[in-house]
Amino acid sequence: MEIRWHILLAIMGASIVTLLPRVLPLMVLSRMQLPEWAMRWLNYVPVAVMAALIGQELFMADGKFEISRNYIEILAALPTFATAILTRSLLGTVVVGILTVMVLRLIL
């Protein structure tokens, strides 16, 4: 079996480029005492990221505002949003979203 060095180097380079912006801030911030306002602000980051990703999927098409024509996604968003609001659990929200899409695809 021949090793393709260029592929291995590309994978290693991509790993390093992906790892650095994730690990370096974590290492630096873990040694610092952040003020209370910064900690409160950081609590909203996961919610904002999730809302941006979901909003883009449901309400954008070709860079323009358009409600998704895929009604399964819209229907699946309802129990997913309810789970997010009631439980405030990212894992629970993702699981409910995935299961809802699976069930809707099976029955519709």
Side-chain angles (χ1 to χ4, degrees), residues 18-86:
T18 301
L19 186 70
L20 287 177
R22 294 178 185 192
V23 171
L24 285 180
L26 185 63
M27 289 173 55
V28 171
L29 291 176
S30 68
R31 297 172 192 228
M32 296 174 58
Q33 181 66 32
L34 294 175
E36 180 62 31
W37 65 266
M39 292 303 294
R40 281 194 318 267
W41 182 80
L42 286 172
N43 283 333
Y44 292 106
V45 170
V47 175
V49 169
M50 183 67 96
L53 292 172
I54 292 172
Q56 181 178 356
E57 281 297 313
L58 293 177
F59 304 118
M60 297 290 290
D62 298 325
K64 298 176 186 172
F65 178 77
E66 179 180 309
I67 294 178
S68 176
R69 292 186 181 139
N70 188 353
Y71 58 91
I72 289 177
E73 292 173 358
I74 300 290
L75 290 174
L78 299 174
T80 305
F81 286 141
T83 302
I85 291 168
L86 294 173

Side-chain angles (χ1 to χ4, degrees), residues 7-21:
I7 294 175
L8 180 62
L9 289 174
I11 292 171
M12 289 173 58
S15 300
I16 291 169
V17 168
T18 301
L19 186 70
L20 287 177

